[in-house]
């Protein structure tokens, strides 16, 4: 990666890291504070859902604002609004006011992500997107882990101290962006594939994206409630959440590389089945703190890998011309899952107690096992066409960032056999069909070495 490219990407990534430290433990902080005030799991779920509603709304409309005022001014506006909403939460306590503030905060937060992801998208061409995305992920996950570890430290400083620290970090994150030259990358308004066409194109990708949004949102917002109600201090809750995120960061890539060389539908079945086992272990085993940490580490690796493997599976079937819009559409489906999750699972916790969280996790995961198994029986998975890309996009620009040169080339080389014109009739493709190769058709998967290629030829 050239020094010029790194210099252009450094400012937004540094801003993301600074803001992400505070944002990394805000959801946990809100959950434990609401629980300490005696609010029910249902109320906590409703307040938590507001953030994801704001994310979904912002992902659909914030790009228009960005096109009008430019990246740097938009970043300053969104980050300042994040700081204001957090500081107001520290000034007074009211669940329904917090609902409104979390909704506004979610809308502003996704605006920050939009600025960063679109900046990275236009910082380089498809040849370097993989490296830029890797830097983005490192910044995001590292900030999340550090933020969770800081939860106990800031909470010990006073009731309002955590909110003040988050507000200060949000304000401070403006500096890297404000100090760079006034150059704004050009972006276009996103038009993702609508849900009904995505279902036609990739039912497995849609269900994987929806399910991932549900379980990840529940992990961020309701797992802290489970931990605190099982006798853990605020500091211990933060440590356990850091372990969960660490599992997501360290295990996502190995799982993805495994999916490159195997049937991705089987990988999705295995991930879901693994989450069933982890949920059962947490429910039924006598748990010590170290054992719970190991289980949460493994759970983080499983639930956070579900979305990128599902997107990679969908990309194995999509024509090259539909990759960007398909990725953007799956991101919207993921956002819908995150929005409804706290509203669905928190009443289960109210009715069944704290263990209801893992009964819900286990039930959802079991449903995914059955759905993915059925889809594999109805339509076996195609050969993987490009390397798995670990990703946590938040906006349509981030979804486009996932479409690397390798993915585009693989899609162009494997467009054949199955007519999907109903789903992608308005996109250009080398051929209007995609799917698994015919038995007598030679094909080269991206991970073959030169000797294997020569043998097939």
């Amino acid at each position: 990666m050239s020094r010029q490219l790194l210099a252009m990407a450094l400012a937004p990534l540094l801003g993301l890291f600074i803001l992400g430290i505070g944002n990394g433990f805000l959801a946990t902080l809100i959950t434990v504070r609401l629980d300490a005030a005696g609010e029910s799991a249902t109320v906590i779920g409703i307040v938590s859902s507001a953030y994801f509603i704001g994310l979904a709304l912002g992902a659909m409309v914030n790009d228009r604002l960005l096109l009008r005022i430019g990246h740097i001014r938009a970043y300053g506006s969104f980050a300042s609004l994040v700081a204001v909403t957090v500081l107001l939460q520290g000034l007074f306590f009211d669940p329904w006011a917090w609902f409104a503030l979390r909704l506004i905060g979610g809308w502003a937060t996704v605006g920050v992500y939009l600025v960063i992801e679109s900046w990275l998208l236009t910082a380089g061409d498809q040849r370097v997107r993989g490296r830029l995305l890797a830097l983005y992920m490192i910044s995001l996950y590292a900030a999340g882990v550090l933020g969770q570890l800081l939860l106990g430290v800031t909470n010990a400083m006073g009731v309002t101290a955590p909110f003040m620290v988050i507000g200060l970090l949000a304000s401070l994150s403006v500096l890297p962006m404000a100090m760079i030259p006034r150059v704004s990358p050009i972006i276009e308004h996103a038009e993702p594939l609508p849900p009904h066409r995505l279902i036609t194109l990739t039912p497995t990708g849609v269900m994987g994206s929806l399910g991932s949004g549900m379980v990840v949102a529940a992990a961020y917002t309701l797992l802290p409630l489970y931990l605190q109600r099982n006798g853990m201090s605020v500091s211990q809750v933060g440590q356990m959440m850091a372990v969960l995120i660490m599992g997501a960061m360290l295990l996502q890539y190995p799982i993805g590389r495994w999916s490159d060389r195997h049937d991705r539908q089987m990988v999705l079945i295995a991930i879901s089945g693994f989450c069933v086992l982890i949920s059962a272990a947490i429910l039924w085993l006598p748990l010590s703190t170290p054992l719970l940490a190991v289980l949460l580490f493994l759970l983080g690796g499983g639930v956070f890998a579900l979305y990128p493997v599902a997107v990679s599976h969908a990309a194995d079937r999509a024509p090259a011309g539909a990759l960007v819009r398909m990725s953007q559409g799956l991101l919207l489906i993921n956002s819908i899952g995150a929005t409804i999750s706290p509203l669905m699972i928190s009443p289960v916790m109210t009715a069944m107690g704290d263990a209801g969280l893992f009964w819900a996790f286990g039930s959802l995961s079991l449903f995914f096992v059955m759905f993915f198994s059925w889809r594999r029986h109805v339509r076996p998975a195609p050969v993987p066409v490009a390397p798995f890309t670990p990703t946590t996009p938040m906006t349509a620009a981030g979804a486009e960032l996932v479409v690397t040169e390798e993915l585009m080339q693989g899609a162009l080389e494997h467009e054949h056999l199955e007519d999907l014109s109903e789903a992608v009739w308005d996109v250009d493709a080398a051929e209007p069909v995609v799917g698994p190769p015919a038995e007598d058709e030679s094909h080269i998967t991206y991970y073959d070495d030169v000797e294997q290629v020569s043998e097939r030829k």
Side-chain angles (χ1 to χ4, degrees):
M1 184 180 296
S2 68
R3 290 183 179 180
Q4 181 180 3
L5 180 60
L6 182 60
M8 188 173 182
L10 184 60
L13 289 175
L14 182 57
L16 170 69
F17 179 76
I18 295 172
L19 182 136
I21 293 173
N23 198 54
F25 71 89
L26 179 57
T28 304
L29 173 66
I30 290 173
T31 297
V32 298
R33 285 294 173 83
L34 288 170
D35 180 52
E39 300 295 340
S40 68
T42 301
V43 171
I44 294 172
I46 292 172
V47 175
S48 299
S49 70
Y51 174 75
F52 297 103
I53 294 172
L55 286 180
L57 293 175
M60 291 186 288
V61 302
N62 281 352
D63 56 345
R64 295 179 176 88
L65 179 61
L66 183 58
L67 289 170
R68 286 188 177 185
I69 67 176
H71 283 64
I72 298 175
R73 294 197 318 184
Y75 188 97
S77 301
F78 289 130
S80 298
L81 192 53
V82 170
V84 169
T85 58
V86 173
L87 292 173
L88 284 174
Q89 286 180 269
L91 286 177
F92 64 93
F93 177 84
D94 180 82
W96 303 115
W98 278 23
F99 177 91
L101 291 171
R102 285 297 279 162
L103 191 149
I104 298 171
W107 175 81
T109 300
V110 82
V112 170
Y113 286 123
L114 175 61
V115 172
I116 294 168
E117 292 176 359
S118 61
W119 193 286
L120 295 178
L121 176 66
T122 54
D125 56 26
Q126 287 180 335
R127 292 173 296 177
V128 299
R129 284 183 183 175
R131 282 171 283 176
L132 289 172
L133 191 60
L135 291 174
Y136 174 82
M137 283 190 59
I138 291 171
S139 301
L140 194 62
Y141 278 127
V145 171
L146 182 58
Q148 295 289 349
L149 294 176
L150 285 177
L151 175 60
V153 177
T154 58
N155 190 71
M157 297 165 61
V159 176
T160 61
F163 296 100
M164 292 176 63
V165 170
I166 296 171
L168 288 171
L169 289 169
S171 299
L172 186 62
S173 72
V174 177
L175 290 182
M177 292 294 291
M179 295 173 66
I180 60 178
R182 295 182 60 186
V183 178
S184 289
I186 299 174
I187 64 171
E188 297 179 356
H189 178 61
E191 294 183 4
L193 285 176
H196 69 279
R197 294 173 64 191
L198 281 170
I199 293 173
T200 302
L201 178 63
T202 173
T204 297
V206 169
M207 184 56 66
S209 299
L210 180 70
S212 172
M214 295 179 68
V215 294
V216 169
Y220 270 125
T221 60
L222 297 177
L223 179 57
L225 175 63
Y226 170 87
L227 296 172
Q228 180 163 274
R229 288 186 174 179
N230 278 272
M232 289 193 175
S233 66
V234 173
S235 178
Q236 290 174 316
V237 170
Q239 292 168 5
M240 287 296 176
M241 293 300 295
V243 167
L244 179 84
I245 299 172
M246 186 70 72
M249 180 170 64
L250 297 181
L251 298 182
Q252 188 177 136
Y253 187 77
I255 292 173
R257 294 301 292 168
W258 176 43
S259 78
D260 285 340
R261 290 167 170 80
H262 296 82
D263 181 339
R264 292 203 211 269
Q265 286 175 315
M266 280 302 301
V267 174
L268 289 170
I269 293 170
I271 292 173
S272 302
F274 181 71
C275 291
V276 173
L277 295 177
I278 294 296
S279 299
I282 293 175
L283 285 170
W284 295 327
L285 291 180
L287 295 178
S288 62
T289 299
L291 178 57
L292 179 60
V294 171
L295 293 174
L296 290 180
F297 179 87
L298 296 174
L299 182 67
V303 298
F304 281 84
L306 185 61
Y307 176 75
V309 173
V311 173
S312 296
H313 166 78
D316 291 337
R317 300 191 65 234
L323 284 173
V324 172
R325 295 182 63 199
M326 179 207 70
S327 298
Q328 293 168 341
L330 291 177
L331 178 62
L332 177 60
I333 296 294
N334 183 262
S335 299
I336 293 172
T339 299
I340 64 176
S341 171
L343 298 174
M344 292 178 57
I345 296 179
S346 57
V348 178
M349 295 183 69
T350 299
M352 300 182 63
D354 308 327
L357 173 63
F358 287 100
W359 281 109
F361 269 162
S363 299
L364 283 172
S365 300
L366 182 60
F367 170 77
F368 299 148
V369 169
M370 294 187 291
F371 181 88
F372 295 144
S373 299
W374 169 66
R375 287 305 306 170
R376 187 172 186 271
H377 175 74
V378 172
R379 190 182 304 280
V383 175
V385 302
F388 167 90
T389 303
T391 178
T392 55
M394 301 294 293
T395 70
E400 186 174 351
L401 188 64
V402 177
V403 182
T404 61
E405 184 180 39
E406 292 86 355
L407 183 59
M408 186 67 71
Q409 184 61 35
L412 287 172
E413 292 177 356
H414 291 78
E415 288 176 345
H416 44 60
L417 293 185
E418 183 188 357
D419 185 6
L420 289 172
S421 57
E422 181 181 348
V424 293
W425 54 267
D426 57 346
V427 302
D428 295 328
E431 298 177 26
V433 292
V434 295
E439 293 182 359
D440 60 346
E441 180 183 355
S442 63
H443 68 281
I444 302 173
T445 54
Y446 71 90
Y447 50 80
D448 284 330
D449 58 30
V450 176
E451 182 178 348
Q452 289 174 311
V453 172
S454 300
E455 290 177 357
R456 291 189 179 187
K457 289 184 177 180

